[in-house]
Amino acid sequence: MSSGAATFLFAGGMSVATVLSGCDGRNELAYPGALRVATLLGEPSGAGFLTADAVRPFVFPGDHGAHPGFRQEWWYLTAALEDPATGDEYGVQFTLFRRALAAQSGDGPWRSAQAFLGHFALTDVERDRHVEAERFARGHPRLAGVRAAPFAAWIEGWRLESMGPSTWPVQLQADTDSFGVDLVLHETRPPVLQGDRGLSRKGPVAGSYYYSIPRLAIKGTIRAGDREVDVAGLGWFDREWSTSGLGAEQIGWDWFALQFDDGRSLMAYQIRRRDGERGAYDQGVLVSADGNVRRLGVADFSLSPERTWRDDAGTRWPITWRIAVGGEEFIVEAAIEDQVMDTSIRYWEGLVRVSDPVARDLGRGYMEMTGY
């Protein structure tokens, strides 16, 4: 699922207005609660756009690039990092969203129908601190865009970009007044196609094209205030594009991307229904240490909240979960409680620790919750 903020962030009037009013792309203001996921996800499909309704071949590096025939897509990266000298833990999220405001663009770069949104966040576990930033920009090459080969995805000075003529390695460079990162990412596994050979169905008439790269080797530096720290760890990269929205009965989702110390990787999500019943479109993948992929349907796993935390706005977030897959159970717990993204859509996105039921440490990962 893994949209970062929400699949259809640019559907909201304020976000679009910000872009079209001549925003210079450097807006890092937060708009807590300004838009609600439930409203945006219920938006009907747009006339003139392509839809994700049949299995298609995936081609790389081309599919790392943009798919402007679809209404929205995103490039999503999370990283679970550690300072090797101290053992201090950090988490990084970077997401670039593309939203088509119309099915066709006009002539010239300033008449582009594409708008972009960037989200960037850092979690500092030892200091119990989470900070985030947000930027809007038009789809002008000088402001924001995506290129397939060599790969680049950028919004103003935030760039996720190939370091040479090949796609990998990729460098993430992003900076704000209070935090920044300079990270180098190496692909250790090929892309994993989600759902049915990359077609991820979200409802009777809703779907997306979706692939993941679950174990990126990462090294680099982070800056937190005036501290600069060398870090290393693992990253998770998600790509998804679509046109259709979720149904009116679907209000949000809970999504997990976990990297185990034994070399396995697990992605699982559930789309929450308004009536509280479990839907038919929950899914995931379990990737073994040797790269074998097991696709998970509704009957193959369960997600059960164990503990909630209440934020200053009064929202209760389930920050500890029990995940059952096959004969195994995992406890997923927020590394720190407050990893709320106070952006145009308010959602929880942050670093988590994974253990077994007797509290043996098994790994790290990221969790995303929307619609609360």
Side-chain angles (χ1 to χ4, degrees), residues 116-173:
F116 287 84
L117 170 79
H119 279 183
F120 176 38
L122 174 69
T123 298
D124 183 339
V125 176
E126 299 304 315
R127 292 154 190 84
D128 193 30
R129 187 166 183 254
H130 175 267
V131 286
E132 70 282 322
E134 179 175 63
R135 290 182 177 179
F136 298 93
R138 304 183 189 199
H140 188 290
R142 296 181 183 176
L143 301 177
V146 179
R147 183 183 65 222
F151 172 71
W154 69 94
I155 182 164
E156 290 291 329
W158 300 350
R159 297 187 70 90
L160 184 65
E161 186 171 17
S162 298
M163 299 180 71
S166 299
T167 300
W168 305 97
V170 166
Q171 186 173 25
L172 172 64
Q173 293 181 308

Coordinates of all heavy atoms in Angstrom, one line a residue, residues 116-173:
F116 N 3.4 17.7 -7.9 CA 4.2 16.8 -7.0 C 4.2 17.3 -5.6 O 4.1 18.5 -5.3 CB 5.7 16.8 -7.5 CG 5.9 16.1 -8.8 CD1 5.7 16.7 -10.0 CD2 6.3 14.7 -8.8 CE1 5.8 16.0 -11.2 CE2 6.4 14.0 -10.0 CZ 6.2 14.7 -11.2
L117 N 4.3 16.3 -4.7 CA 4.4 16.6 -3.3 C 5.6 15.7 -2.7 O 5.7 14.5 -3.1 CB 3.1 16.2 -2.6 CG 3.1 16.1 -1.1 CD1 3.0 17.5 -0.5 CD2 2.0 15.2 -0.5
G118 N 6.4 16.3 -1.9 CA 7.4 15.5 -1.2 C 7.2 15.5 0.3 O 6.9 16.5 0.9
H119 N 7.4 14.3 0.9 CA 7.5 14.1 2.3 C 8.8 13.6 2.7 O 9.3 12.7 2.1 CB 6.3 13.2 2.8 CG 5.0 13.8 2.9 ND1 3.9 13.2 3.3 CD2 4.6 15.1 2.6 CE1 2.9 14.0 3.3 NE2 3.3 15.2 2.9
F120 N 9.3 14.1 3.8 CA 10.7 13.8 4.3 C 10.6 13.8 5.8 O 10.1 14.7 6.4 CB 11.7 14.8 3.7 CG 13.1 14.6 4.2 CD1 13.7 13.4 4.4 CD2 13.9 15.7 4.5 CE1 15.0 13.2 4.8 CE2 15.2 15.6 4.9 CZ 15.7 14.4 5.0
A121 N 11.1 12.7 6.4 CA 11.1 12.6 7.9 C 12.3 11.9 8.5 O 12.9 11.0 7.8 CB 9.8 11.9 8.3
L122 N 12.6 12.2 9.7 CA 13.7 11.6 10.4 C 13.2 11.2 11.8 O 12.6 12.1 12.5 CB 14.9 12.5 10.5 CG 16.1 12.0 11.4 CD1 16.8 10.8 10.7 CD2 17.1 13.2 11.6
T123 N 13.5 10.0 12.2 CA 13.2 9.6 13.6 C 14.6 9.3 14.3 O 15.4 8.6 13.8 CB 12.4 8.3 13.6 OG1 11.1 8.5 13.0 CG2 12.2 7.7 15.0
D124 N 14.7 10.0 15.5 CA 15.9 9.8 16.3 C 15.4 9.1 17.6 O 14.9 9.7 18.5 CB 16.5 11.2 16.6 CG 17.8 11.2 17.4 OD1 18.0 10.1 18.1 OD2 18.5 12.2 17.4
V125 N 15.7 7.8 17.6 CA 15.1 7.0 18.7 C 15.7 7.4 20.1 O 14.9 7.5 21.0 CB 15.4 5.5 18.4 CG1 14.9 4.6 19.6 CG2 14.7 5.1 17.1
E126 N 17.0 7.5 20.2 CA 17.6 7.8 21.5 C 17.1 9.1 22.1 O 17.1 9.2 23.3 CB 19.1 7.8 21.3 CG 19.7 6.5 20.8 CD 19.4 5.3 21.7 OE1 19.4 5.4 22.9 OE2 19.0 4.2 21.2
R127 N 16.8 10.0 21.2 CA 16.4 11.3 21.7 C 14.8 11.5 21.7 O 14.3 12.6 21.9 CB 17.1 12.4 21.0 CG 18.6 12.5 21.3 CD 19.4 13.0 20.2 NE 20.9 12.8 20.5 CZ 21.5 11.7 20.2 NH1 20.8 10.7 19.6 NH2 22.8 11.5 20.5
D128 N 14.2 10.4 21.3 CA 12.7 10.4 21.3 C 12.1 11.5 20.5 O 11.3 12.3 20.9 CB 12.1 10.4 22.7 CG 10.7 10.1 22.8 OD1 10.2 9.3 21.9 OD2 10.0 10.6 23.7
R129 N 12.7 11.7 19.2 CA 12.3 12.8 18.4 C 12.0 12.4 17.0 O 12.7 11.5 16.4 CB 13.5 13.8 18.4 CG 13.2 15.1 17.7 CD 14.2 16.2 18.0 NE 13.9 17.5 17.4 CZ 14.5 18.0 16.3 NH1 15.5 17.3 15.8 NH2 14.2 19.1 15.9
H130 N 10.9 12.9 16.5 CA 10.5 12.7 15.1 C 10.2 14.0 14.4 O 9.5 14.8 15.0 CB 9.3 11.8 15.0 CG 8.7 11.6 13.6 ND1 7.7 12.4 13.1 CD2 9.0 10.7 12.7 CE1 7.4 12.0 11.9 NE2 8.2 11.0 11.6
V131 N 10.8 14.3 13.3 CA 10.6 15.6 12.6 C 10.3 15.3 11.1 O 10.7 14.3 10.6 CB 11.9 16.5 12.7 CG1 12.0 17.1 14.1 CG2 13.1 15.7 12.3
E132 N 9.4 16.2 10.6 CA 9.0 15.9 9.2 C 8.9 17.3 8.4 O 8.9 18.3 9.1 CB 7.6 15.3 9.2 CG 6.5 16.1 9.6 CD 6.4 16.2 11.1 OE1 6.6 15.2 11.8 OE2 6.0 17.3 11.6
A133 N 8.9 17.2 7.1 CA 8.8 18.3 6.3 C 8.1 18.0 5.0 O 8.0 16.8 4.6 CB 10.2 18.9 5.9
E134 N 7.5 19.0 4.4 CA 6.6 18.8 3.2 C 6.9 19.9 2.2 O 7.0 21.0 2.6 CB 5.2 18.8 3.7 CG 4.1 18.6 2.6 CD 2.7 18.6 3.2 OE1 2.3 19.6 3.8 OE2 2.0 17.5 3.0
R135 N 6.9 19.5 0.9 CA 7.0 20.5 -0.1 C 6.1 20.2 -1.3 O 5.8 19.0 -1.6 CB 8.5 20.5 -0.7 CG 9.5 21.0 0.3 CD 10.9 21.0 -0.3 NE 11.9 21.6 0.6 CZ 13.2 21.7 0.4 NH1 13.7 21.2 -0.7 NH2 13.9 22.2 1.3
F136 N 5.6 21.2 -1.9 CA 4.7 21.1 -3.1 C 5.4 21.8 -4.2 O 6.2 22.8 -4.1 CB 3.4 21.9 -2.9 CG 2.5 21.4 -1.7 CD1 2.6 21.9 -0.5 CD2 1.6 20.3 -2.0 CE1 1.8 21.4 0.6 CE2 0.8 19.9 -1.0 CZ 0.9 20.4 0.3
A137 N 5.2 21.3 -5.4 CA 5.8 21.9 -6.6 C 5.0 21.5 -7.9 O 4.4 20.4 -7.9 CB 7.2 21.5 -6.8
R138 N 5.0 22.4 -8.9 CA 4.4 22.0 -10.2 C 5.4 21.0 -10.9 O 6.5 20.9 -10.5 CB 4.3 23.3 -11.1 CG 3.5 24.4 -10.5 CD 3.4 25.5 -11.5 NE 2.8 26.7 -10.9 CZ 2.3 27.7 -11.6 NH1 2.3 27.6 -12.9 NH2 1.8 28.7 -11.0
G139 N 4.8 20.3 -11.9 CA 5.6 19.4 -12.6 C 6.5 20.0 -13.7 O 6.4 19.7 -14.8
H140 N 7.3 21.0 -13.3 CA 8.2 21.6 -14.2 C 9.6 21.0 -13.9 O 10.0 20.8 -12.8 CB 8.2 23.1 -13.9 CG 9.0 23.9 -14.9 ND1 10.4 23.9 -15.0 CD2 8.7 24.8 -15.9 CE1 10.9 24.7 -15.9 NE2 9.8 25.2 -16.5
P141 N 10.4 20.8 -14.9 CA 11.7 20.1 -14.7 C 12.6 20.9 -13.7 O 13.4 20.2 -13.1 CB 12.4 20.1 -16.1 CG 11.2 20.2 -17.1 CD 10.1 21.0 -16.4
R142 N 12.5 22.2 -13.6 CA 13.3 22.9 -12.7 C 12.8 22.8 -11.2 O 13.6 23.1 -10.3 CB 13.3 24.4 -13.0 CG 13.9 24.7 -14.4 CD 13.9 26.2 -14.7 NE 14.5 26.5 -16.0 CZ 14.5 27.7 -16.5 NH1 14.0 28.8 -15.8 NH2 15.0 27.9 -17.7
L143 N 11.6 22.3 -11.1 CA 11.0 22.2 -9.7 C 10.9 20.8 -9.2 O 11.3 20.5 -8.1 CB 9.7 22.9 -9.7 CG 9.7 24.4 -10.1 CD1 8.2 24.9 -10.1 CD2 10.5 25.2 -9.1
A144 N 10.3 19.9 -10.0 CA 10.0 18.5 -9.6 C 9.8 17.6 -10.8 O 9.3 18.1 -11.8 CB 8.8 18.5 -8.7
G145 N 10.1 16.4 -10.6 CA 9.9 15.4 -11.7 C 10.6 14.1 -11.5 O 11.1 13.9 -10.4
V146 N 10.5 13.2 -12.4 CA 11.0 11.9 -12.3 C 11.6 11.5 -13.7 O 11.0 11.8 -14.7 CB 9.9 10.9 -11.9 CG1 10.5 9.5 -11.9 CG2 9.3 11.2 -10.6
R147 N 12.7 10.8 -13.7 CA 13.4 10.3 -14.9 C 13.7 8.8 -14.7 O 14.1 8.4 -13.6 CB 14.7 11.1 -15.2 CG 15.4 10.7 -16.4 CD 16.7 11.5 -16.6 NE 17.7 11.1 -15.5 CZ 18.4 12.0 -14.8 NH1 18.3 13.3 -15.1 NH2 19.2 11.6 -13.9
A148 N 13.5 8.0 -15.7 CA 13.6 6.6 -15.6 C 15.1 6.1 -15.6 O 15.5 5.3 -14.8 CB 12.8 5.8 -16.6
A149 N 15.8 6.7 -16.6 CA 17.2 6.2 -16.8 C 18.1 7.3 -17.3 O 17.8 7.9 -18.3 CB 17.2 5.1 -17.9
P150 N 19.2 7.6 -16.6 CA 19.4 7.1 -15.2 C 18.4 7.7 -14.3 O 17.9 8.8 -14.5 CB 20.8 7.6 -14.9 CG 21.1 8.7 -15.8 CD 20.3 8.4 -17.0
F151 N 18.0 6.9 -13.3 CA 16.9 7.2 -12.4 C 17.1 8.5 -11.6 O 18.2 8.8 -11.1 CB 16.6 6.1 -11.4 CG 15.6 6.4 -10.4 CD1 14.3 6.5 -10.8 CD2 15.9 6.6 -9.1 CE1 13.3 6.8 -9.8 CE2 15.0 6.9 -8.1 CZ 13.7 7.1 -8.5
A152 N 16.1 9.3 -11.5 CA 16.1 10.5 -10.7 C 14.6 10.8 -10.3 O 13.7 10.8 -11.2 CB 16.7 11.7 -11.4
A153 N 14.4 11.2 -9.1 CA 13.1 11.7 -8.6 C 13.4 12.8 -7.6 O 14.1 12.7 -6.7 CB 12.4 10.6 -7.8
W154 N 12.9 14.0 -7.9 CA 13.3 15.2 -7.2 C 12.1 16.1 -7.0 O 11.2 16.2 -7.8 CB 14.4 15.9 -7.9 CG 14.0 16.6 -9.2 CD1 13.6 17.9 -9.4 CD2 13.9 15.9 -10.5 NE1 13.3 18.1 -10.7 CE2 13.5 16.9 -11.4 CE3 14.2 14.7 -11.0 CZ2 13.3 16.7 -12.8 CZ3 14.0 14.4 -12.4 CH2 13.6 15.4 -13.2
I155 N 12.2 16.9 -5.9 CA 11.4 18.1 -5.7 C 12.3 19.1 -5.1 O 12.7 19.0 -3.9 CB 10.1 17.7 -4.9 CG1 9.2 18.9 -4.7 CG2 10.5 17.1 -3.5 CD1 7.8 18.6 -4.2
E156 N 12.5 20.1 -5.9 CA 13.5 21.2 -5.5 C 14.8 20.5 -5.1 O 15.3 19.7 -5.8 CB 12.9 22.1 -4.4 CG 11.8 23.0 -4.9 CD 12.3 24.1 -5.8 OE1 13.4 24.5 -5.7 OE2 11.5 24.5 -6.7
G157 N 15.4 20.8 -3.9 CA 16.7 20.3 -3.5 C 16.7 18.9 -3.0 O 17.7 18.3 -2.7
W158 N 15.5 18.3 -2.8 CA 15.4 16.9 -2.4 C 15.5 16.0 -3.6 O 14.7 16.0 -4.5 CB 14.1 16.6 -1.6 CG 13.9 17.4 -0.4 CD1 14.8 18.2 0.2 CD2 12.7 17.5 0.3 NE1 14.2 18.8 1.3 CE2 12.9 18.4 1.4 CE3 11.4 16.9 0.2 CZ2 11.9 18.7 2.4 CZ3 10.5 17.2 1.2 CH2 10.7 18.1 2.2
R159 N 16.6 15.1 -3.6 CA 16.8 14.3 -4.8 C 17.1 12.8 -4.4 O 17.9 12.6 -3.5 CB 17.9 14.8 -5.6 CG 17.7 16.2 -6.2 CD 18.8 16.6 -7.1 NE 18.8 15.9 -8.4 CZ 18.1 16.3 -9.5 NH1 17.4 17.4 -9.4 NH2 18.1 15.6 -10.6
L160 N 16.4 11.9 -5.1 CA 16.7 10.5 -5.1 C 17.2 10.1 -6.5 O 16.4 10.1 -7.4 CB 15.5 9.7 -4.7 CG 15.6 8.2 -4.5 CD1 16.5 7.9 -3.3 CD2 14.3 7.6 -4.3
E161 N 18.5 9.8 -6.6 CA 19.1 9.9 -8.0 C 20.2 8.8 -8.2 O 21.0 8.6 -7.3 CB 19.6 11.3 -8.3 CG 20.1 11.5 -9.7 CD 20.4 13.0 -9.9 OE1 20.5 13.7 -8.9 OE2 20.5 13.4 -11.1
S162 N 20.2 8.2 -9.4 CA 21.3 7.3 -9.7 C 22.6 8.1 -9.7 O 22.7 9.2 -10.1 CB 21.1 6.7 -11.1 OG 19.9 6.0 -11.2
M163 N 23.7 7.4 -9.3 CA 25.0 8.0 -9.1 C 25.8 7.8 -10.4 O 26.9 8.4 -10.5 CB 25.7 7.4 -7.9 CG 25.0 7.7 -6.6 SD 25.9 7.0 -5.2 CE 27.3 8.1 -5.1
G164 N 25.3 7.1 -11.4 CA 26.0 6.9 -12.6 C 25.0 6.5 -13.7 O 23.8 6.7 -13.6
P165 N 25.5 5.9 -14.8 CA 24.6 5.6 -15.9 C 23.7 4.5 -15.6 O 22.6 4.3 -16.2 CB 25.6 5.3 -17.1 CG 26.9 4.9 -16.4 CD 26.9 5.7 -15.2
S166 N 24.0 3.6 -14.7 CA 23.2 2.5 -14.3 C 22.2 3.0 -13.2 O 22.5 4.0 -12.5 CB 24.0 1.3 -13.8 OG 24.8 0.8 -14.8
T167 N 21.1 2.3 -13.0 CA 20.2 2.7 -11.9 C 20.9 2.7 -10.5 O 20.7 3.7 -9.8 CB 19.0 1.8 -11.9 OG1 18.3 1.8 -13.2 CG2 18.0 2.2 -10.8
W168 N 21.6 1.6 -10.2 CA 22.2 1.5 -8.9 C 23.7 1.7 -8.9 O 24.3 1.3 -9.9 CB 21.8 0.1 -8.3 CG 20.3 -0.1 -8.2 CD1 19.6 -0.8 -9.1 CD2 19.4 0.5 -7.3 NE1 18.2 -0.7 -8.8 CE2 18.1 0.0 -7.6 CE3 19.5 1.2 -6.1 CZ2 17.0 0.3 -6.9 CZ3 18.4 1.5 -5.4 CH2 17.1 1.1 -5.8
P169 N 24.3 2.3 -7.9 CA 23.7 2.8 -6.6 C 22.9 4.1 -6.8 O 23.1 4.8 -7.8 CB 24.9 3.0 -5.7 CG 26.0 3.3 -6.7 CD 25.7 2.5 -7.9
V170 N 22.0 4.3 -5.9 CA 21.2 5.5 -5.9 C 21.5 6.3 -4.6 O 21.8 5.8 -3.6 CB 19.7 5.2 -5.9 CG1 18.8 6.4 -5.5 CG2 19.3 4.6 -7.2
Q171 N 21.5 7.7 -4.8 CA 21.8 8.5 -3.6 C 20.6 9.4 -3.3 O 19.9 9.9 -4.1 CB 23.0 9.5 -4.0 CG 23.5 10.4 -2.9 CD 24.7 11.1 -3.3 OE1 25.0 11.4 -4.4 NE2 25.5 11.5 -2.3
L172 N 20.3 9.4 -2.0 CA 19.3 10.3 -1.4 C 20.0 11.5 -0.8 O 20.7 11.3 0.2 CB 18.4 9.6 -0.5 CG 17.4 10.5 0.3 CD1 16.4 11.1 -0.7 CD2 16.6 9.7 1.4
Q173 N 19.7 12.7 -1.2 CA 20.2 13.9 -0.6 C 19.0 14.8 -0.4 O 18.3 15.2 -1.3 CB 21.2 14.6 -1.5 CG 22.5 13.8 -1.7 CD 23.5 14.6 -2.5 OE1 23.2 15.0 -3.6 NE2 24.7 14.7 -2.0

